[in-house]
Amino acid sequence: MKVAKADKEEFDKVYDFINVMDSLFDGRFWSHEEEWKEWDDDNPNKKLLLKIEEEIRESDGETIWDCVDNRLILYEFMKRKWMEANWCGSFQRIVTNAEVLIDNACDTNLDYLEWKPEIKEAIEKYEQEKSSE
């Protein structure tokens, strides 16, 4: 079976999306949704969040608490980060790549990644032949 292979840039964008979403929404202990304001000023994600905050302030104004609703900022941020990470279907391609590789190269009887027995055997045979040369 042939499927389009995800490239390093796609993986980088997807990992960036996952990492920033995890930073914002890891609610195991408390909400981190406002902590982006404490990130380093040179953080590209903080710069984007600040840009979005300004855009919303210009178009919608501020709330009665003299600020922009953080939920609107985060929604727009997530939308933009998703569109960047999933450009031309990167998430689908990465998931499909993993599924195809696991189904075709891994032992499906195990709950961890290991070569199929016939592939593992072929690799071992190759290594033995290579070392005996």
Side-chain angles (χ1 to χ4, degrees):
M1 171 181 235
K2 292 183 182 182
V3 295
K5 183 174 79 173
D7 62 26
K8 181 172 179 5
E9 185 179 340
E10 287 177 292
F11 275 94
D12 290 345
K13 287 180 180 182
V14 168
Y15 280 129
D16 179 57
F17 177 81
I18 292 167
N19 289 335
V20 74
M21 291 304 124
D22 192 45
S23 294
L24 288 168
F25 304 115
D26 179 11
R28 288 179 280 184
F29 303 109
W30 58 84
S31 172
H32 297 274
E33 294 171 21
E34 296 278 344
E35 286 189 7
W36 67 267
K37 295 173 184 178
E38 306 299 323
W39 295 350
D40 291 338
D41 289 338
D42 61 344
N43 180 308
N45 289 312
K46 181 177 181 179
K47 288 179 181 181
L48 177 57
L49 283 155
L50 289 169
K51 178 182 176 203
I52 292 167
E53 180 181 39
E54 186 56 36
E55 290 171 4
I56 293 171
R57 180 178 287 111
E58 288 174 5
S59 66
D60 297 343
E62 296 181 337
T63 67
I64 58 173
W65 298 283
D66 297 326
C67 63
V68 174
D69 189 335
N70 195 54
R71 295 171 298 179
L72 296 175
I73 298 168
L74 293 178
Y75 171 77
E76 185 63 31
F77 176 73
M78 289 185 300
K79 186 171 75 171
R80 291 182 193 185
K81 293 298 283 186
W82 173 262
M83 289 169 48
E84 177 187 6
N86 198 42
W87 181 253
C88 295
S90 294
F91 267 94
Q92 184 70 29
R93 190 168 13 269
I94 289 170
V95 170
T96 301
N97 286 178
E99 184 177 27
V100 167
L101 286 171
I102 290 169
D103 288 349
N104 289 286
C106 295
D107 188 337
T108 57
N109 296 316
L110 303 174
D111 61 355
Y112 56 91
L113 296 178
E114 179 71 65
W115 294 116
K116 282 184 172 182
E118 58 270 25
I119 295 174
K120 190 174 182 180
E121 184 180 321
I123 291 170
E124 289 169 358
K125 183 178 178 183
Y126 170 79
E127 288 174 348
Q128 286 173 355
E129 290 173 3
K130 185 92 168 152
S131 67
S132 65
E133 291 178 354

